[in-house]
């Protein structure tokens, strides 16, 4: 009778029905039950840092110091994690939830959980743009994806729809008619200009430039030892034409001169993409790169001859050729000429490299410079790992890409099919098949990648090929041969020799 009575009461209670699964967890838990009022009292390192997640209560005071995102976690102190994890959905992975579970101290009472659920904001990612189905997704919220490696090198100019996507926050919806770009730190005071003014006042300049995420090829570091970050393959890199006004021209027009140059050292960029606290994505570059005639830094409003797509910064982004993708701020809202670097989390507490011996207990982000120019890089896009080649073909065709940061031109790519015992020099190309090769870039301004290809004889009696590539740039910088010596806790700057193993088969062709 008691069971029947409880069931009848449960069915008649709509509030309980809405959260029944959560309530059953609470009722069977042996942990203490807390109210929201009790949780909100623990909102600082002095009082203890408590947070809630799906009805659970967690004391994360000891975790704050080792949080990979720095003290941003304190924004959730005394409240729910859900609004912040809605922005940084990379947290919603099994290993992150396992770490959180270690700090669980109790559960919310039913009234508090219901109140909290009703207060949760709408999904900030509900208006995201449509993406190409070929993209391989590393994170949905925020959206991060790369094209399949097999098609990456099919085009010298990467089609915009499959150009890798790297977003840190929701894609903002910007009205081009209402758009204003603010510039601070010049002798003329604060400047505000519209998109039409940017287009009409300054000559349109076009460059071809490759952008690469600092975490490209992070998966190979994960294979050595787990790191924190999106598990990028070899395709967090792409090449496009970019058109817009030179940043140099704009700064000079609005008052940049010797007086400003004597005080300033950096140019900061702030995006229109923001988190729930209103904090915008930001980054900065050295002043000399920003104003150099050879720097080619653009306030770009076109990509591959069309308006920037939403995922790539519409209506205006900064393109800093030769520099890590993280400094190429999208949805550009503000420029600040300053004597200081950007104080953004992504400039100060991320995108930095460390020794393999540095871990999350010992890392000091202030001790390392922010990544700017990237090192020499190359990778194999064909054949794929685990496929096979037929011995009767006598040769294996190997394809890939190569690029170096800082405008250093790739001058050679070496390819081996026996793990590095013998080497062959690949043919480089700077255009699509059938098109005239692009003229050599001026020294120090080789912003675009080179695609490469070679047919290598299949060694006699070989049952398996270990295909390896390594590139050399104009400064004779070369890639390290293995990943372990360059491993770091954030998995950035992964540029060891790329290795792919394929089987050699007899008398039939692989259909993969």
């Amino acid at each position: 009778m008691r069971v029947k009575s409880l069931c009848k009461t449960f069915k008649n209670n709509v509030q309980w029905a809405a959260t029944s699964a959560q309530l059953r967890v609470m009722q069977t838990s042996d942990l203490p039950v807390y109210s929201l009022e009790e949780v909100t009292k623990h909102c600082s390192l002095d009082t203890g840092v408590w947070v809630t997640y799906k009805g659970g209560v967690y004391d994360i005071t000891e975790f704050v110091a080792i949080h990979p995102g720095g003290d941003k976690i304190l924004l959730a102190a005394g409240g729910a994690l859900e609004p912040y994890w809605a922005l940084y959905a990379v947290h919603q992975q099994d290993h992150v939830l396992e770490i959180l579970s270690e700090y669980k101290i109790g559960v919310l009472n039913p009234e508090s959980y219901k109140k909290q659920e009703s207060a949760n904001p709408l999904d900030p990612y509900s208006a995201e743009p449509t993406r190409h189905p070929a993209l391989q997704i590393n994170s949905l919220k925020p959206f991060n994806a790369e094209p399949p490696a097999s098609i990456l090198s099919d085009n010298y100019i990467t089609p915009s729809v499959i150009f890798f996507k790297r977003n840190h926050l929701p894609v903002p919806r910007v009205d081009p008619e209402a758009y204003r770009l603010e510039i601070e730190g010049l002798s003329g005071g604060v400047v505000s200009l519209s998109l039409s003014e940017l287009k009409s006042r300054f000559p349109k300049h076009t460059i071809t430039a490759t952008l690469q995420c600092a975490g490209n090829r992070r998966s190979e570091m994960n294979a050595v030892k787990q790191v924190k970050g999106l598990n990028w393959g070899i395709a967090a890199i792409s090449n496009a034409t970019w058109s817009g006004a030179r940043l140099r021209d704009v700064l000079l027009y609005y008052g940049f001169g010797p007086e400003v140059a004597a005080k300033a050292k950096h140019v900061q960029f702030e995006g229109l993409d923001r988190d729930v606290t209103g904090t915008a994505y930001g980054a900065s570059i050295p002043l000399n790169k920003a104003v150099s005639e050879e720097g080619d830094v653009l306030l770009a409003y076109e990509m591959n001859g069309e308006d920037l797509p939403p995922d790539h910064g519409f209506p205006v982004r900064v393109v800093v050729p030769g520099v890590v993708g993280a400094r190429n701020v999208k949805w550009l809202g503000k420029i600040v000429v300053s004597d200081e670097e950007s104080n953004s989390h992504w400039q100060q507490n991320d995108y930095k490299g460390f020794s393999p011996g540095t871990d999350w207990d010992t890392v000091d982000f202030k001790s390392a410079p922010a990544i700017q120019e990237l090192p020499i890089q190359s990778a194999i896009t064909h054949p794929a790992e685990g496929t096979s080649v037929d011995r009767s073909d006598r040769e294996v065709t190997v394809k890939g890409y190569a690029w170096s940061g800082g405008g250093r031109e790739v001058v050679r790519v070496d390819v081996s099919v026996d793990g590095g015992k013998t080497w062959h020099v690949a043919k480089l190309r700077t255009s699509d098949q059938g098109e005239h090769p692009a003229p050599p870039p001026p020294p120090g301004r080789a912003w675009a990648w080179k695609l490469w290809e070679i047919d290598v004889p299949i060694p006699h009696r070989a049952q398996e090929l270990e295909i390896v590539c390594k590139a050399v740039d104009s400064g004779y910088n070369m890639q390290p041969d293995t990943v372990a010596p360059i491993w770091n806790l954030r998995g950035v700057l992964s540029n060891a020799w790329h290795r792919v193993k394929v089987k050699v088969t007899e008398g039939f062709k692989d259909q993969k």
Side-chain angles (χ1 to χ4, degrees):
M1 291 295 293
R2 185 181 179 189
V3 173
K4 290 182 179 179
S5 176
L6 286 172
C7 290
K8 182 177 180 181
T9 302
F10 181 78
K11 290 178 181 177
N12 290 334
N13 190 325
V14 175
Q15 291 183 339
W16 280 74
T19 57
S20 59
Q22 180 64 32
L23 296 176
R24 283 195 296 272
V25 172
M26 293 177 183
Q27 291 167 338
T28 57
S29 174
D30 293 329
L31 293 172
V33 178
Y34 297 100
S35 67
L36 272 180
E37 289 71 22
E38 290 174 295
V39 174
T40 55
K41 294 176 183 177
H42 297 82
C43 58
S44 70
L45 291 173
D46 292 332
T47 60
V49 180
W50 289 16
V51 295
T52 67
Y53 181 70
K54 293 188 175 179
V57 179
Y58 303 84
D59 182 352
I60 60 168
T61 309
E62 295 181 356
F63 180 72
V64 171
I66 59 174
H67 178 233
D71 60 6
K72 272 183 173 290
I73 197 170
L74 292 176
L75 295 171
L81 285 173
E82 281 88 340
Y84 300 93
W85 283 15
L87 283 169
Y88 305 105
V90 67
H91 292 89
Q92 295 175 26
Q93 301 181 51
D94 289 344
H95 74 277
V96 177
L97 296 175
E98 288 174 8
I99 293 172
L100 180 64
S101 69
E102 297 174 7
Y103 298 91
K104 190 169 185 177
I105 59 170
V107 295
L108 285 175
N109 63 38
E111 294 79 13
S112 292
Y113 184 71
K114 180 64 179 176
K115 179 180 178 181
Q116 195 178 67
E117 281 287 281
S118 63
N120 277 344
L122 295 175
D123 183 1
Y125 294 93
S126 60
E128 293 280 286
T130 302
R131 279 88 179 207
H132 196 282
L135 291 170
Q136 297 176 339
I137 299 171
N138 285 315
S139 167
L140 272 174
K141 299 178 182 182
F143 189 81
N144 291 281
E146 59 190 303
S150 59
I151 65 173
L152 179 61
S153 61
D154 286 353
N155 299 281
Y156 180 70
I157 300 297
T158 311
S160 301
V161 293
I162 61 167
F163 197 104
F164 83 97
K165 311 288 190 279
R166 177 65 175 110
N167 297 333
H168 295 83
L169 298 165
V171 175
R173 304 183 75 174
V174 184
D175 179 358
E177 297 301 321
Y179 172 80
R180 306 294 295 185
L181 174 61
E182 294 184 0
I183 305 176
E184 299 178 7
L186 300 175
S187 58
V190 179
V191 173
S192 177
L193 69 157
S194 67
L195 180 60
S196 61
E197 289 169 335
L198 181 66
K199 291 181 176 181
S200 62
R201 288 182 183 174
F202 305 100
K204 182 179 177 180
H205 183 62
T206 298
I207 62 172
T208 300
T210 297
L211 299 187
Q212 180 181 214
C213 179
N216 190 33
R217 298 180 60 192
R218 179 178 282 133
S219 57
E220 293 164 61
M221 286 197 175
N222 273 327
V224 173
K225 182 182 176 182
Q226 191 70 33
V227 302
K228 288 186 170 65
L230 297 171
N231 195 41
W232 293 107
I234 67 167
I237 183 173
S238 300
N239 192 48
T241 59
W242 309 94
S243 299
R246 290 180 190 261
L247 175 59
R248 167 187 166 84
D249 294 345
V250 175
L251 295 181
L252 288 172
Y253 182 90
Y254 287 112
F256 178 84
E259 183 178 339
V260 177
K263 300 177 182 179
K265 297 179 181 178
H266 306 274
V267 177
Q268 303 174 6
F269 306 111
E270 186 176 294
L272 296 173
D273 49 334
R274 298 178 180 275
D275 65 19
V276 290
T277 69
T279 302
Y281 181 84
S284 59
I285 61 173
L287 178 68
N288 59 357
K289 172 67 175 178
V291 300
S292 168
E293 288 189 67
E294 291 78 35
D296 288 329
V297 180
L298 294 186
L299 303 182
Y301 43 79
E302 290 183 4
M303 177 184 185
N304 292 341
E306 299 179 342
D307 288 346
L308 289 171
D311 265 322
H312 295 290
F314 178 83
V316 177
R317 73 174 297 168
V318 63
V319 173
V320 191
V323 168
V324 64
R327 314 300 169 215
N328 292 249
V329 175
K330 299 185 283 189
W331 314 290
L332 187 63
K334 182 185 290 186
I335 300 171
V336 181
V337 180
S338 174
D339 62 342
E340 297 181 346
E341 273 191 326
S342 168
N343 64 4
S344 164
H345 163 81
W346 293 278
Q347 186 81 22
Q348 299 299 329
N349 297 309
D350 202 349
Y351 298 119
K352 295 182 177 183
F354 295 94
S355 163
T358 300
D359 59 27
W360 287 105
D361 293 326
T362 60
V363 65
D364 176 11
F365 276 92
K366 301 301 181 186
S367 69
I371 298 170
Q372 294 287 342
E373 297 178 358
L374 287 171
I376 181 71
Q377 177 71 281
S378 71
I380 299 161
T381 59
H382 175 85
E385 174 75 24
T387 57
S388 58
V389 297
D390 194 287
R391 190 182 306 281
S392 64
D393 289 337
R394 298 186 179 181
E395 294 181 326
V396 56
T397 299
V398 187
K399 302 178 183 179
Y401 65 79
W403 178 76
S404 192
R408 294 177 289 274
E409 184 178 7
V410 172
V411 297
R412 194 179 79 236
V413 173
D414 299 324
V415 178
S416 172
V417 297
D418 54 14
K421 296 176 182 177
T422 60
W423 296 94
H424 310 263
V425 178
K427 181 179 180 181
L428 307 179
R429 64 181 176 94
T430 56
S431 64
D432 284 321
Q433 299 288 357
E435 296 182 2
H436 293 294
R445 295 168 75 181
W447 309 129
W449 66 9
K450 291 188 178 180
L451 302 181
W452 54 265
E453 183 173 342
I454 186 172
D455 294 325
V456 183
I458 298 173
H460 184 58
R461 293 183 179 177
Q463 301 300 308
E464 182 180 71
L465 306 181
E466 183 181 5
I467 306 174
V468 184
C469 73
K470 60 183 180 74
V472 181
D473 69 19
S474 56
Y476 285 96
N477 298 297
M478 303 178 190
Q479 295 172 249
D481 59 345
T482 57
V483 176
I486 60 170
W487 182 95
N488 58 86
L489 77 176
R490 277 292 282 119
V492 294
L493 307 170
S494 181
N495 73 323
W497 295 0
H498 189 217
R499 301 168 185 267
V500 168
K501 290 184 178 181
V502 300
K503 298 291 184 182
V504 179
T505 59
E506 306 283 349
F508 65 93
K509 296 183 181 295
D510 183 64
Q511 297 300 313
K512 293 183 182 180

